[in-house]
Amino acid sequence: MSNPTRPAATVTPTRTGSRTRRQALALVGVAALLGASLPTWAQDFPQKGRSIRIVVGFTAGGGTDAQARAVAQKLGEVLDANVIVDNRPGASTMLSASEVARAAPDGYTLMYAPSSTLTQNPHTFAKVPYDPFKDFTPITVGGRGPLVLSMSTTVPANNVRELVAHIKTRPGQTSYASFGLGTSSHIYGEAFTRQTQIDSVHVPYKGGSDAAKDLIGGRIQYMFDSAPSAIIASQSGKVKILAIAASQRISALPDVPTFAEQGYSGLDLPSWLGFYGPANMPPAVLKKLNEALVKVLAMPDIVKFYRDGGYEAGGNSPQEFATLTQATYDQWGSMIRNLGLPKQ
């Protein structure tokens, strides 16, 4: 005899279960509203009355600051917005970078930084207050420009080989400057010292401008400097530019040969400056900023401004710039490990 079919059990929702369901539905509603409003907000970027801030990790008046200000003016015209430059120097640009990493990813806080900020600092400093890949959104490369070897005219040399020969006759009596411990100028200086087997004294400064002053004054004998700074220093007549640390010559210094042309290899690592935002920027905002910056960097007067300073104006996609950042990070990391430089 078959058992009779039992009626389906019914469950009366508890007050707690009902409240949880209502909360869940409310959260779904809020998420839907936020999701619906985000594209409109992104499309309205930049909003009237809000300024876009470009943070620069150097003092006003230097080459990086000048480039940022030239681009900021044009970017403001393209976006019909107020674009300002905010100088936050210190700690080898780590102060400025950490501030941008903490900023809201809404497109109103950007960073214009040298490649060293994300590709060298993590290899040379024990405590870096940001992750070079997780904390930033690459927007576009701003300018490409190598470091150059500058020498005081108090040294009787006309090329790299003559400089090396002079130093070898005076072991321990020649000094070279850098922007600071762990900076690109220090790394290049150490690589040059190892390759040529010379005995030079490293004198770290707190920035390129102070080092350049002592180079002009003859208190130090040589340094690896940025092209714009070196060109300005050479105009004093007391500084001579001996070599370009790149794979080819630059238009601003057509008569200055590369290190490779003078028989020295391995001193041609990438050097550039670029625009970044905080991580997780909305795609629509990133697209608008990238297109605007690429447009500005292609303007003839901006191209000339960069070129006169020893740089080539950049402009590429966020994906291409992310790839460049990773590749440069790997190359500098390899050099620093090979040199055995301890983290500061």
Side-chain angles (χ1 to χ4, degrees), residues 165-250:
H166 172 77
I167 295 173
K168 286 186 173 181
T169 64
R170 302 162 58 85
Q173 299 180 48
T174 303
S175 59
Y176 77 91
S178 77
F179 308 152
L181 292 171
T183 61
S184 55
S185 58
H186 175 210
I187 298 168
Y188 265 122
E190 188 65 21
F192 180 62
T193 297
R194 300 281 184 90
Q195 183 175 151
T196 57
Q197 299 182 330
I198 55 177
D199 183 3
S200 290
V201 178
H202 173 221
V203 182
Y205 287 74
K206 292 183 178 180
S209 59
D210 289 339
K213 290 176 184 176
D214 277 2
L215 182 67
I216 292 173
R219 288 178 285 277
I220 57 172
Q221 283 68 56
Y222 67 97
M223 69 179 290
F224 282 85
D225 198 1
S226 66
S229 176
I231 290 171
I232 292 172
S234 67
Q235 293 170 353
S236 69
K238 297 181 179 180
V239 172
K240 184 181 295 185
I241 302 175
L242 297 185
I244 307 295
S247 58
Q248 59 187 19
R249 300 189 186 195
I250 58 176

Side-chain angles (χ1 to χ4, degrees), residues 93-103 111 117 128-130 135-136:
T93 70
M94 288 190 288
L95 289 180
S96 58
S98 60
E99 178 173 335
V100 173
R102 294 192 302 266
M111 173 174 72
T117 301
V128 178
Y130 52 81
D135 292 340
F136 301 96

Side-chain angles (χ1 to χ4, degrees), residues 20 43 51-52 76 83 98 102 107 136 142 149 153 165 182 227 230 233 267 275 312 317 321 327:
T20 301
Q43 290 170 4
S51 296
I52 297 173
V83 182
S98 60
R102 294 192 302 266
F136 301 96
L149 177 61
T153 53
L267 294 169
F275 291 92
E312 294 297 327
S317 72
F321 189 33

